[in-house]
């Protein structure tokens, strides 16, 4: 390839790069670009080589507030960029976006800041969120473009005057492989409907509301099944302790499936995916479920409402409300099964039209061509 570029993907998690952007990384490598992943090493590095990319370790903690550690992270990233000499760097999650914008400005390399969601920092309006807005305002203007995964986050940044005068793009999420997450037949209804939640075991994903709704729904529809799939997250203050989840399972309200690298079998075996999250960037599991032909119930919040067309591809419920979530589940249980099948068909068509990752890959290709010449 005569126009080979060095393209950096920088994130606070190598797992996040591979899980959410693996197809993009592979496509750019197949185009002939040198693709370098800069992140802490939290998954086997063989997965990087399998995509045709390189890996360079960068030590950064997603949540550390230690000033010395943060200075080291910025200095370390500056050293890496000087060595790698990227033609363009794509930076994801809060610290890589902020630190990467500063480093790109200091080193003279072009960067794109990708806002993957507002995260825990902006769930409440306090002094921490005010500082976060100030830091974004100061650093984002060192970026050449700012990308958002949903319209609500873009509006939030516009209202906070954090992206004035910048080139801004709203993406259709990170995209999904609609061939890998191919449409699957709906399971028969004779054993009752199966509701599946796929998420880390943290409170702001709505795990507690899911368990509460399961109790309420099963008191009326005992044949309904509620399954929870996802890893424990004990290191975070918002985590739901694993013994609590296991207790729900022992009581018969929620079947805990543990964690899985491949969610497709669990989605194929359910009738409806549930995500009662407090806030999302662009929830991948809802896009994957839709592509596989499964309607969803999710909260009417940022990200979720960008995926679900209410009453057509799924149902939206109130955030933080066990009763609203339970009522949505009961609505599906009480209706003719054919309506669920119709919603599944519409969900699949919507996912193929809106969330095919080939749309996202084309955006990356155009941006590389435009910004790295």
């Amino acid at each position: 390839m005569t126009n080979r570029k060095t393209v950096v993907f920088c994130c606070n998690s190598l797992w996040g790069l591979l899980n959410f952007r693996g197809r993009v990384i592979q496509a750019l490598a197949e185009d002939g670009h040198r693709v370098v992943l800069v992140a802490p090493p939290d998954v086997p590095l063989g997965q990087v080589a399998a995509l045709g990319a390189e890996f360079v370790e960068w030590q950064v903690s997603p949540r550390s507030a230690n000033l010395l550690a943060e200075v080291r992270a910025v200095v370390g990233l500056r050293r890496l960029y000087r060595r790698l000499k990227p033609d363009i760097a794509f930076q994801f999650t809060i610290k890589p976006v902020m630190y990467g914008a500063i480093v790109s400005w200091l080193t003279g390399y072009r960067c794109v800041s990708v806002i993957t969601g507002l995260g825990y920092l902006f769930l409440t309006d306090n002094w921490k969120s005010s500082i976060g807005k100030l830091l974004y305002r100061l650093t984002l203007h060192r970026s050449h473009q700012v990308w958002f995964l949903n319209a609500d986050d873009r509006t939030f940044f516009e209202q906070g005057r954090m992206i004035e005068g910048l080139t801004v793009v709203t993406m259709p999420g990170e995209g999904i492989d609609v061939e890998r997450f191919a449409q699957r037949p709906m399971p028969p209804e004779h054993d009752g409907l199966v509701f599946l939640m796929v998420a880390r075991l943290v409170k702001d994903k709505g795990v507690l509301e899911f368990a509460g709704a399961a109790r309420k729904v099963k008191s009326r529809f005992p044949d309904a099944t509620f399954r929870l799939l996802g890893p424990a997250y004990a290191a975070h203050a918002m985590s739901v302790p694993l013994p609590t989840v296991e207790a729900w399972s022992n009581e018969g309200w929620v079947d805990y499936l543990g964690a899985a690298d491949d969610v497709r079998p669990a989605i194929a075996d359910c009738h409806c995916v549930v995500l009662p999250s407090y806030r999302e960037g662009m929830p991948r599991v809802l896009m994957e479920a839709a592509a596989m032909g499964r309607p969803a119930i999710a909260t009417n919040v940022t990200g979720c409402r960008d995926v679900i067309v209410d009453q057509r591809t799924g149902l939206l419920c109130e955030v933080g409300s066990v009763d609203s979530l339970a009522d949505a589940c009961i609505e599906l249980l009480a209706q003719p099964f054919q309506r669920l099948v119709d919603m599944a068909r519409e969900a699949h068509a919507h996912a193929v039209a809106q969330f095919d990752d080939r749309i996202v890959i084309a955006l990356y290709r155009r941006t590389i061509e435009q910004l790295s010449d």
Side-chain angles (χ1 to χ4, degrees):
M1 181 177 181
T2 58
N3 199 27
R4 185 174 191 258
K5 306 295 183 182
T6 295
V7 182
V8 164
F9 281 69
C10 180
C11 187
N12 65 14
S13 165
L14 180 58
W15 178 89
L17 289 177
L18 298 177
N19 189 57
F20 298 123
R21 298 152 204 118
R23 287 259 294 177
V24 172
I25 292 165
Q26 184 175 26
L28 297 181
E30 290 174 350
D31 287 346
H33 297 301
R34 179 195 181 201
V35 183
V36 185
L37 311 187
V38 175
D42 53 2
V43 294
L45 300 185
Q47 297 180 32
V48 177
L51 297 179
E54 302 173 28
F55 171 73
V56 174
E57 181 175 350
W58 175 43
Q59 288 299 328
V60 63
S61 170
R63 295 177 184 85
S64 169
N66 182 282
L67 181 59
L68 182 58
E70 302 314 298
V71 171
R72 286 174 177 165
V74 174
V75 172
L77 188 60
R78 181 173 180 265
R79 186 181 303 116
L80 290 176
Y81 276 24
R82 284 195 178 280
R83 175 160 60 89
L84 294 171
K85 296 180 172 58
D87 292 285
I88 186 170
F90 294 94
Q91 293 150 175
F92 309 85
T93 65
I94 294 176
K95 287 185 181 181
V97 162
M98 292 182 179
Y99 300 169
I102 295 171
V103 167
S104 295
W105 172 61
L106 290 174
T107 55
Y109 301 117
R110 297 184 176 185
C111 74
V112 173
S113 295
V114 186
I115 308 300
T116 57
L118 299 187
Y120 308 106
L121 185 62
F122 296 104
L123 281 177
T124 56
D125 189 9
N126 54 25
W127 66 270
K128 290 182 179 179
S129 64
S130 297
I131 291 176
K133 291 177 185 177
L134 175 61
L135 291 174
Y136 266 133
R137 193 176 299 120
L138 293 173
T139 57
L140 283 180
H141 281 76
R142 309 302 179 184
S143 305
H144 290 79
Q145 290 186 11
V146 180
W147 293 1
F148 293 90
L149 301 190
N150 62 66
D152 284 346
D153 283 353
R154 176 173 178 167
T155 299
F156 179 86
F157 274 69
E158 288 173 341
Q159 292 175 344
R161 301 176 61 188
M162 290 177 271
I163 51 175
E164 288 182 334
L166 295 174
T167 300
V168 178
V169 174
T170 303
M171 305 167 66
E174 301 274 14
I176 57 167
D177 183 348
V178 297
E179 295 177 356
R180 183 169 185 263
F181 290 90
Q183 189 173 17
R184 297 287 297 275
M186 183 73 73
E189 63 171 326
H190 55 77
D191 291 328
L193 297 190
V194 176
F195 296 91
L196 171 70
M197 179 175 179
V198 180
R200 288 173 291 126
L201 303 185
V202 291
K203 295 175 185 176
D204 52 343
K205 289 294 184 181
V207 175
L208 299 181
E209 287 79 3
F210 182 73
R215 287 191 183 93
K216 185 171 182 179
V217 172
K218 286 178 72 67
S219 66
R220 285 185 55 186
F221 296 87
D223 289 338
T225 299
F226 288 79
R227 295 172 180 166
L228 176 60
L229 174 68
Y233 205 58
H236 195 271
M238 291 288 284
S239 65
V240 177
L242 187 58
T244 299
V245 177
E246 291 171 342
W248 299 336
S249 186
N250 292 335
E251 292 165 7
W253 304 117
V254 175
D255 296 337
Y256 179 52
L257 306 181
D261 293 330
D262 187 354
V263 301
R264 289 175 297 172
I267 293 175
D269 201 32
C270 81
H271 297 91
C272 178
V273 167
V274 180
L275 185 63
S277 180
Y278 297 178
R279 188 179 185 94
E280 291 287 323
M282 196 72 159
R284 189 176 186 85
V285 68
L286 295 185
M287 293 188 287
E288 293 169 346
M292 291 184 66
R294 295 298 179 270
I297 297 172
T299 40
N300 187 13
V301 298
T302 295
C304 295
R305 57 173 165 252
D306 291 83
V307 179
I308 293 177
V309 182
D310 193 27
Q311 298 295 324
R312 286 180 51 198
T313 70
L315 302 176
L316 294 174
C317 62
E318 297 174 16
V319 64
S321 172
V322 169
D323 290 343
S324 180
L325 176 57
D327 289 346
C329 296
I330 290 170
E331 181 177 338
L332 291 187
L333 285 161
Q335 69 186 359
F337 188 67
Q338 183 58 44
R339 189 190 174 209
L340 197 69
V341 174
D342 292 340
M343 293 175 77
R345 184 174 58 251
E346 282 210 55
H348 171 72
H350 183 64
V352 171
Q354 299 295 324
F355 308 126
D356 189 332
D357 60 9
R358 285 171 287 196
I359 301 171
V360 177
I361 291 169
L363 172 62
Y364 277 89
R365 285 172 168 157
R366 288 196 306 270
T367 303
I368 292 170
E369 183 178 350
Q370 292 167 1
L371 293 185
S372 62
D373 288 338

